[in-house]
Amino acid sequence: MPRLRASIPQDAYYMRRALSLAARATGRTSPNPLVGAVLVRSGRVVGEGYHRRAGQPHAEVEAIRQAGARARGATLYVTLEPCNHQGRTPPCCEAIVAAGIRRVVAAIEDPHRITRGRGLARLRQAGLGVMIGVEAEAAAVLNAPFFKAMTTGRPWVVAKVAQSLDGKIATASGASQWITSPASRAVGHAWRRYVDAIVVGVHTILADNPRLNDRAQGARPGRPLKIILDSRLRTPLNARCFTARPTTPTLIATLVKRSPKKRLFERRGIEVLTLPALRGHVSLPALARALVRRGVHAVLIEGGGEVLASALQARLVDRVAWYVAPLLLGGRGAPGAVGGAGFALAQAVQVREAVCRRLGRDWCIEGQLVYPARRR
């Protein structure tokens, strides 16, 4: 075990280790949060673990099992308040108490209504020392999808855009493959390993016929869910997203209540979800709420311009990943990255904490979105 750096307090040092462990399972634990745990006794790490997948042991239990008898009298550093309820796994608080752990340092309180504050109260009741708030900001960022889903009932959303330098996502004739470089496409594709679902509009299906799958080795079974916004059910029955390997479920969000084509989709195992209308299209806020109820906490919007405009109008997008190629396409009829009616300058959405990096010949700009105060 390396010695502590004098500039880093001991609790922060071990919590950062726990956070790095938690991050190893990024994209694989939903609908559960990412959690890491480190057990320390007499200045030495005696056990550590992280939650790997939903249904598997929680981080605290992994660390306790690794420590064995050495857990007695130790301090547990954990990135999220331990649970105190029976779910798919037993409550972690009981395992912590039974192991004889003396002190628990948690980064942040669990926002879930079933757990919030109850885990910490149970530990205090059992006589353990409890500290909360160490590296809390980093812990909240790590679990941004989980926290947003639990506190707002909406998923955390990132919008990915590939455009030319003059803001076009396709030529005037509709060609878009490929505007950005292979390096940009590889990094953009990696977002699919992080999220629970990908959203595209039917125009993207008709124009590009994408597969919408995660082709990486070790891809999660059943993820990411493919979602097509198709108000009038124009998606072809032979679209590549239905047959691409590896196969993952597809959901078509529509306004259509009954139709022969809807029955054809359903016979093939493709879910068709009828949702209310908003400005003549599928209500994205209604879809967002439905997704969280299904355990979908992180969503990637991949296209196109009208879908992104609607998501921005509904204030659903939290982050953007913008890939810009050094090309000038021009064309009055060429679609832009963001459609819709647009925003007045005073109501423009701001990109904060933006980071720009080179990817081959392209640039990638990522940042958090900040929406203006609503007009009274």
Side-chain angles (χ1 to χ4, degrees):
M1 180 70 198
R3 292 185 178 181
L4 298 178
R5 296 180 183 177
S7 60
I8 303 177
Q10 177 172 300
D11 288 338
Y13 179 88
Y14 290 123
M15 188 62 75
R16 291 179 190 181
R17 172 61 181 168
L19 288 165
S20 69
L21 289 169
R24 292 182 182 180
T26 295
R28 299 198 299 272
T29 63
S30 187
N32 291 352
L34 295 163
V35 183
V38 175
L39 269 170
V40 179
R41 192 173 80 170
S42 302
R44 299 182 66 87
V45 173
V46 294
E48 58 184 26
Y50 63 97
H51 185 45
R52 298 167 189 268
R53 290 182 186 272
Q56 292 190 6
H58 288 187
E60 302 94 319
V61 172
E62 278 209 344
I64 291 169
R65 287 177 179 173
Q66 188 180 101
R70 295 175 297 172
R72 185 163 298 278
T75 294
L76 173 68
Y77 294 87
V78 61
T79 58
L80 191 68
E81 174 184 4
C83 64
N84 192 40
H85 64 278
Q86 176 72 47
R88 294 168 70 176
T89 58
C92 291
C93 284
E94 299 311 312
I96 292 168
V97 172
I101 291 168
R102 175 179 58 85
R103 176 173 175 255
V104 173
V105 180
I108 198 166
E109 193 176 76
D110 192 325
H112 196 293
R113 59 181 177 79
I114 296 177
T115 299
R116 187 170 53 229
R118 292 179 173 86
L120 300 177
R122 170 69 183 100
L123 296 174
R124 290 189 179 105
Q125 183 185 44
L128 278 71
V130 174
M131 177 184 287
I132 185 78
V134 177
E135 296 293 316
E137 184 176 349
V141 170
L142 178 69
N143 273 311
F146 179 75
F147 273 73
K148 186 182 179 188
M150 293 300 103
T151 57
T152 70
R154 292 181 169 191
W156 182 86
V157 177
V158 58
K160 183 182 73 127
V161 173
Q163 68 166 53
S164 63
L165 190 59
D166 56 341
K168 307 297 184 181
I169 59 173
T171 65
S173 65
S176 62
Q177 298 181 345
W178 299 99
I179 290 177
T180 53
S181 66
S184 288
R185 296 199 297 275
V187 173
H189 188 87
W191 275 107
R192 296 183 181 182
R193 292 162 221 163
Y194 179 81
V195 300
D196 301 315
I198 302 170
V199 174
V200 299
V202 66
H203 292 291
T204 297
I205 298 295
L206 296 175
D208 299 337
N209 198 16
R211 286 175 286 186
L212 299 179
N213 58 0
D214 180 3
R215 297 182 290 278
Q217 186 175 8
R220 293 168 296 163
R223 285 291 190 261
L225 172 67
K226 306 168 187 177
I227 301 173
I228 303 170
L229 302 175
D230 186 358
S231 297
R232 293 180 286 151
L233 278 188
R234 291 185 292 154
T235 301
L237 286 162
N238 62 350
R240 284 205 302 173
C241 62
F242 300 138
T243 58
R245 301 287 178 179
T247 56
T248 53
T250 304
L251 183 151
I252 301 176
T254 186
L255 301 180
V256 176
K257 294 181 179 179
R258 300 181 190 83
S259 80
K261 191 171 184 181
K262 181 178 180 181
R263 290 193 292 273
L264 288 174
F265 278 124
E266 291 170 341
R267 286 173 188 167
R268 294 185 55 183
I270 299 163
E271 184 179 2
V272 181
L273 178 64
T274 301
L275 291 167
L278 181 64
R279 301 185 189 93
H281 300 285
V282 170
S283 169
L284 293 186
L287 174 62
R289 291 189 293 270
L291 291 178
V292 167
R293 288 194 294 269
R294 294 163 178 249
V296 172
H297 294 170
V299 173
L300 175 66
I301 294 179
E302 290 204 355
E306 296 302 319
V307 172
L308 180 52
S310 296
L312 290 171
Q313 190 70 43
R315 301 184 174 219
L316 290 174
V317 183
D318 299 280
R319 187 171 183 86
V320 291
W322 224 268
Y323 302 88
V324 182
L327 304 174
L328 300 174
L329 296 179
R332 292 187 184 90
V338 183
F343 299 94
L345 192 57
Q347 294 298 305
V349 182
Q350 296 185 38
V351 181
R352 299 274 180 87
E353 301 176 17
V355 176
C356 182
R357 56 177 168 151
R358 287 295 299 268
L359 290 171
R361 68 178 188 185
D362 305 333
W363 294 270
C364 173
I365 302 169
E366 287 191 27
Q368 299 294 117
L369 295 193
V370 177
Y371 295 89
R374 294 187 184 274
R375 293 175 177 175
R376 294 183 181 272

